[in-house]
Structure formats: structure tokens, C-alpha cells
């Protein structure tokens, strides 16, 4: 997966992604779902919000060595280029957000793509949801330039890779049978695979950590691999890693 996706196309704030339209009807692509789903699924009651596991402002004891290794590399090499950054640990279903100097802003559980894997299938962003097989619902690994945008309901969304319809956003609870709030609240990472590939985070974490950190700026999102090595994804030559992800 690309190291630096097309930042100008990352749906900046005040814009919405394009739709594949047919007269007054539209096709539910994964990109369209990311933009519209939040408008449908963010009507939380206090009881629902209470069901979320609260985010932490201290380094979590359960933070993986892989997260620490990537954070150290980012700061030692200035890879974030003076920008805020996020590390998503897929294996442990955890997200850590840092300011431009590497100070922890918050950590929280996440929901991820249903299928294990580190590379999105070609053309996934334009695929209708009904056509995305379970094994293709992957949260890809890599280093991405991310920026805030808005969904069709005017709610904030962090676009990670617009071409692949990959975003980080508040948890969607439209379909009760998904039990997404319960999955976020559970103590295990084993039940946190449910999405079409996007990263779902607690609402409070998004509103109090992600939005303030990325407001008015771009930032970097590092999604750790689960089937490849960290060295292969992050520490190899950029051209080689980009070619391998094709």
C-alpha cells in the first residue's frame, strides 16, 4: 500500500467523496458508505456512549512492542515531518494518537476490517458493498498522509486513503446485530474485526483527540501490518515498498 497517497485528493474538510450515480439512485460503494454511513449511524443515546470503553490519555500498559518500535523510528527519523501522527495496531485492535513532538494525546480500542491482510484489493474503493467479499474487507497496512473531511451529514471523518475508501471515523451503530459498541468495550481484540476495512473508534476519542489534532492540518497514519513484517512495510526503501504493494 502506498507510502504517501494522493493528499490533495483526500477529501478535504467541506467536501464529500464522489458517488457513482444513476439518475436519482446511487450505488453504495465502500467510499460512499464511508461518507454516508456516519450520517446514518451517529445518533447515539447516552446509554450507547456509556457502552464504549473510555479512551486513555496515558500510555496503555497493553501497548505492543511493535507500536513502540514504530513510534521510536518515527521520532528518531522525523518521519512524521513535524505533523501529528496516529499508530493503528491491528493485531491488538488499538489506536494511539500523538502530537507533532510525539506526546501521547490518547489511546483507544478500534474496530477493523473483517479479513486479515495488509493490502487492499485493487479497485476496492469503487466496489459496491454487496460485491465486497468477506475476504476482501481488509484494513491495509502502511504509511498514509491523512486529512479531515466531512460525510454527507456534515460529521467529521479522517480520510486515510481516499482512492481505497479507507478512513478513520466514529463507530457506526446503524446495524444492531453488528454489536459494534460491545465489541469496542470488550477486553479482547478477537472480536474487533467487523468493518468493510475502515477504522471505527469511540466517538469521544474521535471528537476529543482526532479532530483537535488534525484540525487545520494534515497528519500521518501508520497502520501496522499483521501478515508482513514491520521492517518490510516501514523500514524498506520507499520505492521498493510502494512497488511491492501494487
Amino acid at each position: 500500500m502506498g507510502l504517501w497517497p494522493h493528499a490533495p485528493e483526500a477529501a478535504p474538510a467541506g467536501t464529500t467523496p464522489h458517488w457513482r450515480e444513476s439518475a436519482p439512485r446511487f450505488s453504495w460503494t465502500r467510499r460512499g458508505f464511508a461518507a454516508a454511513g456516519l450520517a446514518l449511524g451517529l445518533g447515539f443515546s447516552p446509554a450507547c456512549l456509556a457502552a464504549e470503553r473510555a479512551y486513555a490519555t496515558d500510555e496503555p500498559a497493553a501497548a505492543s512492542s511493535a507500536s513502540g518500535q514504530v513510534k521510536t523510528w518515527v521520532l528518531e527519523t522525523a518521519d512524521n515531518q513535524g505533523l501529528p501522527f496516529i499508530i493503528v495496531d491491528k493485531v491488538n485492535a488499538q489506536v494511539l494518537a500523538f502530537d507533532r513532538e510525539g506526546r501521547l494525546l490518547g489511546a483507544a480500542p478500534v474496530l477493523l476490517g473483517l479479513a486479515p491482510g495488509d493490502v487492499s484489493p485493487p479497485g476496492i474503493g469503487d466496489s459496491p458493498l454487496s460485491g465486497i467479499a468477506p475476504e476482501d474487507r481488509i484494513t491495509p497496512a502502511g504509511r498514509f498522509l491523512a486529512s479531515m473531511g466531512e460525510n454527507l451529514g456534515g460529521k467529521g471523518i479522517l480520510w486515510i486513503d481516499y482512492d481505497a475508501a479507507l478512513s478513520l471515523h466514529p463507530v457506526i451503530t446503524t446495524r444492531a446485530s453488528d454489536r459494534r459498541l460491545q465489541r469496542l468495550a470488550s477486553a479482547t481484540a478477537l472480536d474487533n474485526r467487523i468493518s468493510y476495512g475502515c477504522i471505527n473508534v469511540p466517538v469521544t476519542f474521535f471528537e476529543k483527540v482526532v479532530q483537535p489534532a488534525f484540525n487545520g492540518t494534515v497528519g500521518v497514519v501508520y497502520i501496522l501490518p499483521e501478515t508482513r513484517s514491520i521492517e518490510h512495510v516501514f523500514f524498506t526503501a520507499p520505492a521498493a515498498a510502494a512497488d511491492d504493494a501494487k
Side-chain angles (χ1 to χ4, degrees):
M1 204 65 193
L3 294 179
W4 284 102
H6 312 293
E9 300 174 3
T15 66
T16 54
H18 68 268
W19 293 77
R20 295 196 299 174
E21 299 188 36
S22 173
R25 303 181 62 186
F26 52 80
S27 174
W28 283 95
T29 65
R30 190 169 86 166
R31 187 182 298 117
F33 182 78
L38 289 177
L40 300 174
L42 283 181
F44 292 113
S45 67
C48 288
L49 291 175
E52 293 184 345
R53 184 144 47 107
Y55 74 91
T57 54
D58 296 322
E59 194 83 29
S64 68
S65 59
S67 295
Q69 184 179 358
V70 170
K71 176 190 174 185
T72 298
W73 169 73
V74 168
L75 297 178
E76 288 182 348
T77 63
D79 186 80
N80 62 319
Q81 299 186 5
L83 298 171
F85 63 97
I86 284 175
I87 296 176
V88 177
D89 181 350
K90 291 195 289 180
V91 173
N92 293 289
Q94 186 177 70
V95 58
L96 299 98
F98 302 91
D99 68 11
R100 58 187 301 167
E101 296 180 358
R103 290 184 290 259
L104 182 71
L105 300 173
V110 295
L111 301 181
L112 301 160
L114 179 67
D118 291 324
V119 179
S120 289
I124 191 70
D126 292 314
S127 299
L129 291 185
S130 60
I132 301 178
E135 62 269 21
D136 290 335
R137 300 173 188 178
I138 293 169
T139 301
R143 174 182 184 269
F144 305 89
L145 191 64
S147 62
M148 292 296 300
E150 292 181 349
N151 66 12
L152 296 182
K155 301 292 185 180
I157 184 172
L158 183 68
W159 281 109
I160 298 173
D161 186 341
Y162 183 67
D163 288 343
L166 178 65
S167 66
L168 181 150
H169 55 70
V171 59
I172 294 175
T173 59
T174 308
R175 189 164 55 189
S177 60
D178 282 352
R179 302 181 66 253
R180 295 197 180 202
L181 290 175
Q182 292 88 340
R183 292 172 186 270
L184 276 178
S186 71
T188 177
L190 298 178
D191 61 354
N192 288 44
R193 310 305 290 256
I194 188 66
S195 81
Y196 280 84
C198 285
I199 301 164
N200 286 217
V201 300
V203 176
T204 52
F205 178 79
F206 190 86
E207 293 179 344
K208 296 183 179 182
V209 177
V210 177
Q211 282 186 313
F214 283 76
N215 184 34
T217 184
V218 295
V220 187
V221 175
Y222 302 88
I223 303 179
L224 306 188
E226 55 188 338
T227 61
R228 298 180 175 189
S229 69
I230 291 178
E231 290 77 12
H232 178 84
V233 174
F234 296 112
F235 307 151
T236 55
D243 289 342
D244 185 73
K246 292 180 180 178

